[in-house]
């Protein structure tokens, strides 16, 4: 059974600081997705990582994928308040011909002035 | 409007009543999904569908029924609502066949009294 673990689950950081969110998964997969959810809102797709070594960047966020280590990271550079949200990673699970994603529990990020 | 929509956005009902949540997508995506999101549990898959007339259970299907007679619609019915089904429900869709990035609807907040 595919399990996806994120850490930390809660992260409080100051503006201007750097930090990394980790997403570990338990079985082989080479496709991983990051989503953002603002309070009271839906999930918005941030990054799609489709192969080992994939790196995507947008603004102050950079995501990478190491399929051999079964690890993805979401790195935050010089955090700003607008990045406060919950971030989810999700991993592909191809099972029985049906393509589903398994989500981590999410990392709630709070960026303080 | 293009995209994925859900209705109603908010619903209050009473225990024992039948409730149907609607989901509509305009992308002609093959796959559609229903999730519920609760504090402490993250996103949990209720049901999914690979195509019209093809549905399958997810992680927490008990008490729910789905149908998919048309590709663009995927209604979720609570046959006899219980308080434990109070939650936020998200519908999502994906192209499938390797394109598994899921796109989420705005959500329905359901309260069962």
């Amino acid at each position: 059974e595919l399990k996806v673990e994120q850490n930390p689950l809660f992260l409080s950081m100051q503006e201007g600081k750097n930090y990394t969110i980790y997403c570990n998964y338990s079985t082989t997969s080479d496709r991983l997705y990051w989503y953002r959810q603002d309070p009271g809102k839906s999930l918005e797709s941030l990054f799609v990582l489709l192969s080992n070594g994939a790196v995507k960047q947008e603004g102050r966020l950079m995501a990478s994928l190491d399929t051999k280590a079964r690890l993805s990271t979401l790195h935050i550079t010089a955090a700003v308040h607008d990045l406060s949200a919950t971030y989810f990673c999700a991993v592909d699970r191809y099972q029985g011909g049906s393509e589903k994603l398994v989500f981590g529990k999410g990392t709630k990020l709070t960026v303080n002035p | 409007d293009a995209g994925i929509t859900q209705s109603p956005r908010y619903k209050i009902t009473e225990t024992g009543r039948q409730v149907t949540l609607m989901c509509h997508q305009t992308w002609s995506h093959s796959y559609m999904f229903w999730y519920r999101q609760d504090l402490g549990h993250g996103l949990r898959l209720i049901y999914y569908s690979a195509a019209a007339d093809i549905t399958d259970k997810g992680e927490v299907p008990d008490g729910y029924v789905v149908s998919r007679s048309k590709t663009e619609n995927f209604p979720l019915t609570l046959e006899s609502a219980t308080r434990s089904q109070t939650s936020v429900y998200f519908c999502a869709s994906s192209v499938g066949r390797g394109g598994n990035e899921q796109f989420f609807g705005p959500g329905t907040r359901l309260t069962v009294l």
Side-chain angles (χ1 to χ4, degrees):
Chain A
E1 180 187 351
L2 174 59
K3 293 187 178 180
V4 180
E5 291 188 356
Q6 288 182 236
N7 68 83
L9 297 181
F10 299 92
L11 176 57
S12 180
M13 56 190 298
Q14 285 186 315
E15 281 190 330
K17 298 293 187 182
N18 303 333
Y19 208 82
T20 300
I21 298 170
Y22 297 89
C23 176
N24 292 88
Y25 54 97
S26 60
T27 64
T28 301
S29 177
D30 58 2
R31 294 182 289 197
L32 189 138
Y33 309 82
W34 283 97
Y35 290 85
R36 169 180 171 146
Q37 185 179 35
D38 292 311
K41 302 293 186 182
S42 185
L43 280 78
E44 173 190 357
S45 180
L46 280 177
F47 298 112
V48 178
L49 304 170
L50 297 178
S51 61
N52 184 43
V55 177
K56 294 280 184 72
Q57 182 166 5
E58 181 162 339
R60 301 174 188 273
L61 299 177
M62 183 174 71
S64 65
L65 178 61
D66 181 343
T67 59
K68 295 179 181 178
R70 299 177 186 167
L71 171 68
S72 179
T73 60
L74 181 65
H75 187 71
I76 303 154
T77 301
V80 293
H81 180 70
D82 285 352
L83 290 179
S84 296
T86 298
Y87 294 87
F88 293 90
C89 64
V91 179
D92 249 311
R93 178 178 68 178
Y94 186 80
Q95 183 179 30
S98 297
E99 302 176 33
K100 296 177 282 189
L101 298 183
V102 178
F103 284 81
K105 290 196 178 297
T107 296
K108 184 174 181 179
L109 171 65
T110 303
V111 181
N112 302 304
Chain B
D1 291 342
I4 184 165
T5 57
Q6 293 182 236
S7 62
R9 296 292 313 281
Y10 302 90
K11 178 72 177 180
I12 300 174
T13 191
E14 294 178 338
T15 302
R17 290 189 180 262
Q18 180 174 288
V19 177
T20 297
L21 309 184
M22 304 301 293
C23 179
H24 175 79
Q25 52 102 357
T26 61
W27 295 308
S28 299
H29 284 173
S30 294
Y31 282 81
M32 295 187 75
F33 308 83
W34 274 107
Y35 295 91
R36 60 179 290 174
Q37 186 176 37
D38 306 285
L39 279 174
H41 291 281
L43 278 168
R44 292 184 289 177
L45 181 64
I46 304 170
Y47 269 95
Y48 64 99
S49 169
D53 297 322
I54 301 175
T55 63
D56 207 348
K57 295 178 180 179
E59 184 183 353
V60 289
D62 292 345
Y64 302 95
V65 174
V66 294
S67 62
R68 195 168 177 205
S69 57
K70 294 183 178 181
T71 299
E72 61 267 29
N73 296 325
F74 191 38
L76 175 73
T77 298
L78 288 66
E79 293 188 299
S80 178
T82 65
R83 290 199 180 115
S84 66
Q85 292 177 310
T86 293
S87 186
V88 180
Y89 291 85
F90 289 103
C91 178
S93 70
S94 70
V95 172
R97 299 185 184 279
N100 292 339
E101 181 184 12
Q102 292 184 14
F103 298 89
F104 284 78
T108 295
R109 183 174 294 274
L110 175 68
T111 301
V112 183
L113 301 175

